[in-house]
Amino acid sequence: MMFAKKVQDYKSRIFDVNEIKSFDGNQAKKNIFYETGQTVGAVWCLKPGQELYFHSHKRADDIWICMEGDSGTYYPECGESVEISKGMVCVARPGEKHGMKNTGTTDFVFIGIAGPVPLDLILHELE
């Protein structure tokens, strides 16, 4: 079967989120699935009530593609919040603060693509 062989040839380029995602009962979990000299990709998994720290990157874009979740709160800036859910995309450009909390009743999963690498991490107070 030619198609099956082709998929096998591209194993390092085609990923199944369901095989990558895993959760930590205590905190948001980052599951890195690829890294190049330009970007890094991770599947972030948050149980209800868990938060991803409020932060920024001096040089990097950070794009979040929401795959699962009925409700989350995205923090685009200190004192500001936007409700997000499955199907939404959040973009933080260099220097723009971002973080989120799973405010829903179901698990929240998003793919994060960031670059250029290496990433710096600047933590901020939310309020």
Side-chain angles (χ1 to χ4, degrees):
M1 177 183 249
M2 190 169 177
F3 179 72
K5 183 175 182 345
K6 288 284 186 191
V7 170
Q8 188 67 12
D9 292 344
Y10 298 115
K11 192 92 171 134
S12 66
R13 294 177 48 200
I14 299 171
F15 305 93
D16 184 340
V17 172
N18 292 314
E19 292 177 2
I20 299 166
K21 70 180 182 182
S22 68
F23 293 83
D24 180 325
N26 298 314
Q27 62 187 6
K29 184 167 183 198
K30 181 180 187 179
N31 305 282
I32 295 175
F33 63 95
Y34 91 93
E35 187 168 357
T36 69
Q38 290 76 41
T39 60
V40 62
V43 175
W44 280 93
C45 300
L46 293 86
K47 291 284 189 187
Q50 291 181 337
E51 296 183 64
L52 173 52
Y53 42 82
F54 189 53
H55 66 286
S56 64
H57 309 284
K58 193 178 289 185
R59 302 179 320 112
D61 291 328
D62 200 350
I63 302 163
W64 297 356
I65 304 159
C66 304
M67 304 295 293
E68 297 177 26
D70 59 355
S71 180
T73 300
Y74 180 78
Y75 303 108
E77 203 41 73
C78 294
E80 296 181 21
S81 64
V82 177
E83 293 305 307
I84 58 173
S85 61
K86 174 183 172 180
M88 299 181 85
V89 178
C90 306
V91 177
R93 293 164 188 85
E96 293 180 339
K97 297 171 184 158
H98 51 291
M100 68 99 43
K101 180 176 184 174
N102 181 354
T103 54
T105 58
T106 62
D107 294 340
F108 203 101
V109 175
F110 68 88
I111 297 171
I113 306 294
V117 294
L119 296 178
D120 63 331
L121 178 67
I122 303 164
L123 297 176
H124 302 280
E125 293 295 322
L126 192 52
E127 298 175 321

